[in-house]
Amino acid sequence: LYSLLRYLDSMVMRNASTLITITQEMKALIVERSGAKSDVYLLDNPAVSFDKVDLNKRKKKGFTFCGNAGRLQKIPLLIDAIDLYIRDGGDLDFVFAGGGVYADLLASFAEKHPNNVCYLGNVSAAEAAQLNADYEWALLPIEDEVTRYAFPSKTSSYVFSGAKIAAICGAHTSVGRWVVENNLGVCVESSVEALVSMFKSVEAGAIGNAEFDACRASLKSRLNFDFFVSKLHELLLHE
């Protein structure tokens, strides 16, 4: 079944007049897997609407995670690191929102550390946007291999929220490079020790002050929904 679906996918891409994807790595993989000869354009994921989000509130010290709590998001690693950080006297807040295979694990973990960890379950896009805007940092964990095929859609909303981003993946991946090169936050090695060290540095104020705000204005212009629609319209008319 997998072989059949992959064959059909490649056939569709080879016969498409235009292909649109998100990152250079995904573009290269499309050409490699399908043998497509058509033009492949890159177009950033747009952010959800922030029209009704209060961006002027004083940000709380801590981290949010909004999205799928699935197998690709390193939830067990996060839980182990946060657990060790809290047991070692850490005082930052961690708020999780979203469903997935690790939803029950997150709920149990929140019960274990009710003063520092909160699990909200599924929330609306608007509620997630406000949650990201309420806290100083947003967690962006993803398995390295997956970044060849996908780019987390929540990254755009993280930019608009003003939250600094902690990418938990390899520095060589498209996600890690995007966060660092756009000066949006830090890329952290996928280990309990590295995460605990980062949490402690944030709590101490050693990272995360004004140094991660420089590129947001130009990025926002590319990531808003109107720009996305306009660019997509341009590409379709071109064809």
Side-chain angles (χ1 to χ4, degrees):
L1 179 59
Y2 173 79
S3 297
L4 174 62
L5 292 173
R6 180 167 171 166
Y7 168 77
L8 292 173
D9 188 45
S10 297
M11 184 175 67
V12 168
M13 289 190 286
R14 278 197 300 273
N15 287 280
S17 59
T18 300
L19 293 160
I20 302 171
T21 190
I22 302 170
T23 68
Q24 193 65 43
E25 285 83 351
M26 292 166 72
K27 175 180 176 178
L29 191 65
I30 283 172
V31 174
E32 176 192 324
R33 286 183 58 170
S34 70
K37 305 296 184 185
S38 304
D39 290 331
V40 183
Y41 296 98
L42 300 183
L43 185 58
D44 292 307
N45 263 332
V48 300
S49 173
F50 272 72
D51 292 344
K52 296 181 180 179
V53 175
D54 185 356
L55 296 171
N56 298 313
K57 294 166 67 175
R58 181 185 176 89
K59 286 188 175 290
K60 304 172 187 175
K61 291 182 73 69
F63 291 81
T64 60
F65 171 93
C66 294
N68 178 44
R71 294 183 177 87
L72 307 178
Q73 283 72 40
K74 304 185 179 182
I75 299 300
L77 171 68
L78 274 176
I79 286 176
D80 288 345
I82 295 169
D83 184 57
L84 179 58
Y85 164 74
I86 293 172
R87 287 191 286 108
D88 204 25
D91 198 39
L92 292 173
D93 291 333
F94 297 85
V95 181
F96 292 85
V101 295
Y102 291 117
D104 291 342
L105 188 61
L106 284 171
S108 300
F109 185 56
E111 290 177 5
K112 180 181 178 182
H113 295 293
N115 294 327
N116 296 90
V117 182
C118 176
Y119 175 58
L120 301 174
N122 288 313
V123 298
S124 69
E127 289 171 322
Q130 184 62 65
L131 193 62
N132 292 329
D134 288 344
Y135 284 83
E136 288 185 350
W137 284 84
L139 294 166
L140 186 60
I142 188 166
E143 293 289 349
D144 289 7
E145 175 64 17
V146 179
T147 62
R148 298 177 64 215
Y149 310 94
F151 196 90
S153 57
K154 56 179 170 281
T155 53
S156 300
S157 297
Y158 281 176
V159 172
F160 273 80
S161 73
K164 301 165 186 69
I165 301 174
I168 303 161
C169 57
H172 64 282
T173 64
S174 57
V175 172
R177 290 200 311 273
W178 184 81
V179 169
V180 173
E181 290 172 6
N182 287 298
N183 207 35
L184 298 169
V186 296
C187 184
V188 188
E189 177 191 335
S190 298
S191 73
V192 169
E193 294 76 14
L195 283 168
V196 171
S197 177
M198 186 266 291
F199 296 152
K200 289 181 177 179
S201 294
V202 169
E203 184 176 1
I207 57 173
N209 296 316
E211 69 265 32
F212 299 130
D213 295 328
C215 299
R216 283 187 193 260
S218 59
L219 261 181
K220 284 181 180 179
S221 65
R222 279 182 18 223
L223 298 176
N224 75 62
F225 205 80
D226 289 340
F227 178 87
F228 174 82
V229 172
S230 173
K231 194 69 179 174
L232 185 59
H233 187 243
E234 230 178 80
L235 292 174
L236 293 174
L237 284 182
H238 174 71
E239 291 304 314

